[in-house]
Amino acid sequence: MEEQSRSVTRELSPRLSRMWSLAKVGLRRGWPFAAGIVAAFLGVLLYSNLYPDPLPLTDQQVDQIVVDAMASATPPPSYSSQVYQVILPSMVLIRTTGQNEQGEDGNGVGSGVIINADAAILTSLHVVAGATEIEIFYADGTETTAVIAAAEPENDIAVLTPAQPPEVIVPAVMGNPNAMRVGDEAYAVGNPLGLAGSMSAGVISGFDRTLPISDELELSGLIQFDTAVNPGNSGGPLLNRRGEVIGIVTALANPSEQNFFIGIGFAVPITTAAGAAGMPRY
């Protein structure tokens, strides 16, 4: 029995030796891999400690971020400011010397708009009627004189030819009043009470209005609007939201003896007014 045990031991010893040898080789070859795993784990643990996940935003923080973003946003320009920039180079201020509508000597002020490449100026006839001298002040600061080239008393429209055009001629763009509706935006740019380059905004109030001017004359087919105008606006343009001329301001309603705006103004449609300058009536 004892002899058998020794025999078994002798047989196992070589096997155990080979297994131990293989194990030592495996350990020598595998320890870099194991070390790499440990190092990676330690690296992840260190990163997590140094750069923890951000805390979730509170409702108040989200609201503040939205408020800050809206405050920093630049709003688009308003229609009115765009209209003003479009029409301003075409505007003129008109000063007159001579007799007024009552036959008295004096000075007058009105507005006009350049309508073609020859720098012809469209205005209201009553602004320049009876004037012995007409002075034109352009938007670029230069000035000149002018004469009446054409007139349509039945529409209170006059066309002026300046002695000297501006250095850069910018004719206004003609619009289509027939495309307008009651309630559409309407802008007036002119020189009310001599305040040069003033702008006001309102809406179209009605179409095809008739306004008695005197015992012999009444204007018909007028555009009614509530855009504020006062003496000095006469002859200036009434504009749509694209800055196109849809009419020439001609009068304001005066139920009293006071000559100030009460919310009702009138303009000759540009489809009629432009005909005095030889442009097609459309």
Side-chain angles (χ1 to χ4, degrees):
M1 186 73 171
E2 189 176 329
E3 200 170 310
Q4 185 178 359
S5 296
R6 280 197 214 86
S7 176
V8 170
T9 301
R10 283 195 300 271
E11 290 178 2
L12 289 175
S13 293
R15 292 180 183 177
L16 290 173
S17 296
R18 284 196 299 271
M19 291 176 64
W20 174 244
S21 298
L22 291 173
K24 287 193 293 183
V25 172
L27 287 173
R28 283 197 300 270
R29 293 180 178 177
W31 78 264
F33 178 73
I37 293 176
V38 172
F41 175 77
L42 292 175
V44 170
L45 185 62
L46 180 61
Y47 183 86
S48 299
N49 288 329
L50 292 176
Y51 304 99
D53 291 337
L55 295 174
L57 296 176
T58 64
D59 291 342
Q60 291 79 5
Q61 289 173 319
V62 172
D63 291 342
Q64 187 60 47
I65 291 172
V66 172
V67 169
D68 292 343
M70 294 180 65
S72 63
T74 302
S78 63
Y79 282 116
S80 54
S81 65
Q82 295 180 70
V83 167
Y84 187 78
Q85 295 303 317
V86 167
I87 195 62
L88 187 61
S90 307
M91 291 295 304
V92 300
L93 183 150
I94 301 173
R95 291 191 184 277
T96 61
T97 302
Q99 292 185 336
N100 59 23
E101 294 174 316
Q102 287 74 38
E104 303 169 341
D105 291 333
N107 299 321
V109 62
S111 304
V113 60
I114 297 172
I115 58 167
N116 60 28
D118 296 326
I121 298 167
L122 202 59
T123 187
S124 293
L125 178 58
H126 74 265
V127 170
V128 294
T132 56
E133 184 179 19
I134 302 172
E135 293 180 284
I136 301 297
F137 298 84
Y138 296 116
D140 62 7
T142 60
E143 59 184 271
T144 186
T145 58
V147 296
I148 299 175
E152 289 186 354
E154 67 277 16
N155 294 314
D156 190 31
I157 291 295
V159 179
L160 307 180
T161 297
Q164 182 68 38
E167 183 175 348
V168 178
I169 300 173
V170 184
V173 178
M174 304 295 107
N176 183 6
N178 298 320
M180 303 292 289
R181 297 172 296 179
V182 172
D184 282 347
E185 297 99 322
Y187 305 93
V189 178
N191 312 296
L193 308 177
L195 300 172
S198 297
M199 181 179 193
S200 55
V203 298
I204 300 294
S205 302
F207 294 97
D208 201 24
R209 303 303 196 201
T210 299
L211 181 68
I213 300 299
S214 64
D215 294 338
E216 298 81 23
L217 177 64
E218 69 175 18
L219 302 178
S220 59
L222 302 178
I223 301 170
Q224 179 189 337
F225 57 87
D226 74 348
T227 309
V229 290
N230 284 285
N233 275 113
S234 290
L238 186 69
L239 306 150
N240 62 19
R241 68 190 302 178
R242 292 183 295 275
E244 299 167 344
V245 180
I246 58 170
I248 297 297
V249 176
T250 188
L252 49 90
N254 279 305
S256 68
E257 296 298 324
Q258 302 298 317
N259 193 27
F260 57 82
F261 185 63
I262 62 169
I264 301 176
F266 299 96
V268 178
I270 194 64
T271 48
T272 299
M279 301 175 72
R281 300 178 190 270
Y282 56 95

